[in-house]
Amino acid sequence: METKVYIDGYNFYYGRLKGTNFKWLDYYTLFYSYLLQRNSHGSPKLSAKAIKFFTAPIDERVAMDAHSVSDQHVYHTALNKHLGDKIDIISGYYDVSKNKAKLVDGDKEPRECESVYIWKIEEKQSDVNVAVHAIFDTLMDPTIEQVVFVSNDTDILPAMLKLREYRQLSGRPIVIGLVIPKKDERTANTSLIRAADWHIPNISDFELQSSQLPNRVNKGRKPAFKPNSWYETPEIVSDILGLLKEAYGKMNEVYRWLDSIPKNYPEHLPKLEASPFQEMNTKAGCERVLVHAQALRDYKLGQK
């Protein structure tokens, strides 16, 4: 079944990724290998640009972390490098402006409250772009059999209803799916669910953990690396990189070791089931790699 997936990146981030260590997410794997297998409407087929990801570059004036802007840029670069024409990233923008608003004052009605100036911060165009692209693509591409919306925002409801109306008038059997980017299925929006033919009310930690990009995306002239702060234990990751830099001197050698599965290491060291880079995605794995990095640093320095 030829399928198009429309992801509201802002809603996905705040609904499911914020505060987790799953941000280095491979959306193609997540949908093709996991989420689209959970509905009963045939085998999904994802052709070129089948995943459309709607986002906006973070405005550094409102970024809560000093590295947020660069981390987001690196992530989008990694998505493009790793997925190529499997994904289409469509950018809106952040609007930051001064506005007047009513200050809450006890039980007073808004008209009785004082007006104060506030910073109004809004992501613009993502939800509108989701709706416009979904309808335009469906009208222009007769091969599309299934349209999947990924959001819990009712702003996409009119687009879903229009597609249902188009299906009825045209007789074209388009399936409308909905994925709610939440961990707890009880928070799913019922009006969106009623407009869909099928829905997935939540996304599990297992599905997110199993759909991560490689920690180093090595395509192109310059690799893209998962930001340290996106790991479960960023402090240990920094310690590991520091120890390995002492051992090898050159970061290219460090990354080569991290991408391989070490062999013939002393029996007293903890066993690594995957490459150090993969192990570092969990706290327990990071702690195992740290022991290896310390031993490797001591061994290399002892040879000099």
Side-chain angles (χ1 to χ4, degrees), residues 67-85:
H67 303 289
S68 294
V69 175
S70 59
D71 289 352
Q72 184 195 48
H73 176 73
V74 169
Y75 174 55
H76 290 169
T77 299
L79 279 177
N80 278 319
K81 283 177 176 287
H82 187 70
L83 297 181
D85 68 357

Side-chain angles (χ1 to χ4, degrees), residues 21-265:
N21 59 308
F22 304 131
K23 300 182 188 76
W24 196 242
L25 186 59
D26 176 345
Y27 283 101
Y28 184 87
T29 297
L30 176 65
F31 281 89
Y32 185 75
S33 299
Y34 295 98
L35 297 180
L36 292 178
Q37 306 303 326
R38 286 168 61 182
N39 77 78
S40 58
H41 287 263
S43 299
K45 179 183 178 184
L46 298 178
S47 300
K49 306 293 186 183
I51 304 286
K52 289 199 168 186
F53 180 60
F54 300 85
T55 184
I58 298 170
D59 191 311
E60 62 181 354
R61 293 175 295 170
V62 301
M64 300 302 291
D65 183 279
H67 303 289
S68 294
V69 175
S70 59
D71 289 352
Q72 184 195 48
H73 176 73
V74 169
Y75 174 55
H76 290 169
T77 299
L79 279 177
N80 278 319
K81 283 177 176 287
H82 187 70
L83 297 181
D85 68 357
K86 293 177 180 177
I87 195 167
D88 191 8
I89 300 177
I90 297 113
S91 292
Y93 66 95
Y94 271 93
D95 179 61
V96 182
S97 58
K98 293 179 181 179
N99 284 267
K100 268 192 173 184
K102 293 292 185 177
L103 185 67
V104 176
D105 186 359
D107 295 328
K108 290 182 180 179
E109 296 296 335
R111 63 177 176 270
E112 300 170 336
C113 295
E114 177 188 0
S115 293
V116 296
Y117 277 100
I118 62 166
W119 284 110
K120 188 176 182 181
I121 304 164
E122 289 185 295
E123 192 202 29
K124 294 287 190 179
Q125 296 185 348
S126 286
D127 47 7
V128 174
N129 280 335
V130 167
V132 170
H133 278 255
I135 292 175
F136 181 82
D137 292 346
T138 303
L139 293 176
M140 298 301 293
D141 186 351
T143 68
I144 294 176
E145 300 170 281
Q146 180 169 238
V147 175
V148 180
F149 292 93
V150 187
S151 180
N152 197 36
D153 188 339
T154 54
D155 283 348
I156 66 168
L157 181 59
M160 298 176 72
L161 295 176
K162 278 299 176 185
L163 282 177
R164 291 179 68 89
E165 184 179 351
Y166 169 71
R167 178 174 66 187
Q168 183 178 4
L169 293 173
S170 67
R172 186 175 160 190
I174 300 165
V175 175
I176 301 170
L178 173 70
V179 176
I180 305 289
K182 292 284 187 178
K183 185 173 184 176
D184 185 348
E185 62 183 69
R186 291 175 298 178
T187 57
N189 191 294
T190 55
S191 62
L192 295 178
I193 291 172
R194 286 195 296 268
D197 297 308
W198 61 263
H199 79 281
I200 293 173
N202 66 319
I203 304 173
S204 70
D205 284 356
F206 172 79
E207 289 167 326
L208 295 174
Q209 182 65 69
S210 303
S211 305
Q212 296 293 295
L213 294 168
N215 294 23
R216 175 172 72 157
V217 178
N218 208 24
K219 293 182 180 179
R221 191 174 299 178
K222 186 178 179 182
F225 294 93
K226 179 178 178 178
N228 286 6
S229 62
W230 288 19
Y231 287 87
E232 184 176 354
T233 51
E235 302 85 2
I236 300 179
V237 170
S238 296
D239 290 342
I240 290 169
L241 294 176
L243 289 166
L244 293 174
K245 179 69 183 301
E246 289 184 61
Y248 285 108
K250 296 180 179 180
M251 289 307 294
N252 282 342
E253 294 296 320
V254 170
Y255 297 132
R256 187 174 291 114
W257 183 83
L258 288 170
D259 267 334
S260 64
I261 300 180
K263 298 177 181 179
N264 302 320
Y265 49 79

